[in-house]
Amino acid sequence: QVQLVESGGGSVQAGGSLRLSCVASRYIYDTVYMGWFRQAPGKEREGVAAIYTRPGISYYHDSVKGRFTISQDNAKKTLYLEMNSLKPEDTAMYYCAAALSWRPYDNWASQDRYRYWGLGTQVTVSS
């Protein structure tokens, strides 16, 4: 099992930055994939970014490419999401998730592959 606790959310103006953190109960390298997902009011949850942990390969939703950066610190058991140039449409609850198994043809944003989820941290971006 993996317990995940997110932090770092808050309220910022458009163009601002935030860094989200997700502390895991196990080493990051014990997982196969870890990701950040978000859900805005009235919308479905969507994948924001993910990392194939041991190789360190990252993936991003098109809407955040060039603005968000996912990173990991295995020794600190922490996953990060650096968010720059924030837009009002980035407003959502952000969730950290972990997958301990993966199939070669799985997509990084396939939520059913992530078995463990945190409770989320709210990000609000005002215009």
Side-chain angles (χ1 to χ4, degrees):
Q1 284 193 342
V2 185
Q3 284 78 49
L4 303 169
V5 179
E6 304 97 333
S7 63
S11 297
V12 297
Q13 290 191 327
S17 299
L18 284 172
R19 188 176 80 157
L20 305 184
S21 298
C22 171
V23 178
S25 60
R26 299 176 61 167
Y27 287 108
I28 300 296
Y29 288 171
D30 287 347
T31 72
V32 181
Y33 272 77
M34 289 196 72
W36 288 98
F37 294 78
R38 66 186 179 188
Q39 187 168 22
K43 294 187 176 181
E44 293 187 354
R45 189 166 58 188
E46 65 178 3
V48 177
I51 189 163
Y52 183 17
T53 55
R54 283 187 174 267
I57 300 171
S58 55
Y59 304 86
Y60 297 93
H61 190 280
D62 284 346
S63 67
V64 306
K65 284 181 180 177
R67 299 190 298 124
F68 291 11
T69 303
I70 189 170
S71 62
Q72 58 187 358
D73 187 326
N74 186 53
K76 294 183 178 180
K77 302 179 183 178
T78 303
L79 182 74
Y80 301 100
L81 185 67
E82 185 76 35
M83 304 187 296
N84 298 314
S85 302
L86 282 162
K87 304 175 181 180
E89 50 263 44
D90 294 318
T91 294
M93 182 71 79
Y94 283 72
Y95 298 91
C96 172
L100 300 187
S101 64
W102 205 259
R103 298 168 299 192
Y105 50 86
D106 284 331
N107 183 279
W108 68 267
S110 298
Q111 298 184 39
D112 62 326
R113 299 307 302 162
Y114 294 84
R115 183 173 180 181
Y116 303 99
W117 293 79
L119 296 179
T121 185
Q122 177 68 38
V123 172
T124 303
V125 185
S126 58
S127 57

